[in-house]
Amino acid sequence: MRRIAGLVLALSLAAPVAAQEVPLRTTPEIIVRPPPTEAERHRELREFTRTVIRPPRLHQPVAKFAFPVCVTVLGLAPQDAAVIAERIRANAEALGVGADRSPTCVPTVRVAFMAPAAGPPESWLSSESPQLAHLAGYQKERVLGEAGPVRAWNRIAVRDALGNAFRPQLGDQQRFPTYTEIQPLSASDPIVTTEITGAAVLISREAAQGFTLGQLADYATLRVLLGTGAVEGDAPAPTMLTLFTAPAPPAELTDFDKAMVRELYDASFAASARRVYNDIARAAVASERSGAGGKQAP
């Protein structure tokens, strides 16, 4: 008995001591952060604008339409196409671009809804497509590299300070383009200006299901009036450009969207891209501070 008792005692001494139970913390940790200052918000929206509006090449101004747009919509029932076209015209007029309502105007804005028979968006266009023949190499890369159910592009004309066509001419080596020398009217005049002379948007008809005609028209408005691509990731401001990516996209153009178009078209053709981005951010921040904010779909 003494041996058994001793063995039991030895085993009990050798057994590990049970860890003391620590009650789980049920209250989540809350970190309170102050809202960004106006300067911080301005900087955030300015950088976001730079990613939304494609920067020009060679320090050129940001391209925009110089004349009211003539709109045509294809690939939908006539009544639906008419509603979208009219909404794009109304947006263009309200945002300072202008719209040509003549029934005989030559379309400068084309929005096409692609039927399933056209195949996936990746098959709509190639580097050899005649629709893209007027684009520079880097512009084709942008169009063909876009993911998702939309492909969009702008036809850009480069002009001198007087509005005359400004085309590259081959140099003596026939390798690098050189430009005819333009004498500016003064030190503040631009050497070149850039103008959107036409824009096109192709949208998958299947992907458009479930959205209102107003949402589709507002999305197309931004893609044709601005040289912009789709927004990827979380947007720091509500924008209709997230229509096909956000779980709850806006119901209509947001204040940030309107600021982008208004400030670009209010600026002179000589305005630098930096100034345009700053003006857009300033207007967007002012709208937020006034309590208007960007409208979101319920």
Side-chain angles (χ1 to χ4, degrees), residues 56-286:
R57 302 280 283 194
L58 302 174
H59 306 292
Q60 294 174 353
V62 178
K64 58 184 176 180
F65 280 99
F67 301 99
V69 295
C70 177
V71 183
T72 186
V73 178
L74 308 170
L76 295 178
Q79 60 271 26
D80 292 341
V83 170
I84 290 179
E86 176 55 30
R87 175 112 171 194
I88 295 174
R89 294 187 197 101
N91 286 338
E93 290 173 336
L95 297 174
V97 184
D100 188 340
R101 295 178 173 274
S102 170
T104 59
C105 68
V106 177
T108 54
V109 166
R110 292 177 172 84
V111 180
F113 289 85
M114 308 295 285
E122 295 77 16
S123 67
W124 294 346
L125 301 164
S126 72
S127 59
E128 305 302 322
S129 296
Q131 301 97 313
L132 308 182
H134 63 282
L135 298 181
Y138 75 93
Q139 293 172 318
K140 288 183 181 180
E141 291 178 2
R142 283 176 173 174
V143 177
L144 299 176
E146 184 171 353
V150 179
R151 299 293 182 271
W153 62 92
N154 304 91
R155 181 191 293 270
I156 307 296
V158 182
R159 307 187 187 281
D160 65 19
L162 300 177
N164 299 317
F166 188 48
R167 299 182 176 88
Q169 298 176 346
L170 290 179
D172 295 337
Q173 302 299 322
Q174 298 294 306
R175 292 181 180 179
F176 303 103
T178 59
Y179 289 91
T180 305
E181 184 176 355
I182 304 287
Q183 292 296 332
L185 301 181
S186 69
S188 61
D189 288 325
I191 295 179
V192 298
T193 60
T194 51
E195 175 190 341
I196 299 177
T197 60
V201 182
L202 310 181
I203 301 174
S204 167
R205 193 187 299 171
E206 289 181 309
Q209 296 294 326
F211 297 114
T212 68
L213 297 179
Q215 285 177 303
L216 295 170
D218 289 353
Y219 176 87
T221 296
L222 297 178
R223 294 304 304 266
V224 298
L225 298 184
L226 304 171
T228 180
V231 173
E232 299 179 358
D234 295 332
T239 171
M240 187 58 75
L241 290 171
T242 61
L243 181 65
F244 296 102
T245 57
E252 59 186 22
L253 288 176
T254 67
D255 291 302
F256 177 75
D257 295 332
K258 295 174 184 177
M260 283 197 296
V261 180
R262 277 204 186 101
E263 294 303 320
L264 172 60
Y265 281 85
D266 280 348
S268 72
F269 274 88
S272 67
R274 179 183 177 85
R275 177 179 175 182
V276 170
Y277 297 150
N278 274 320
D279 287 348
I280 291 172
R282 173 192 49 75
V285 170

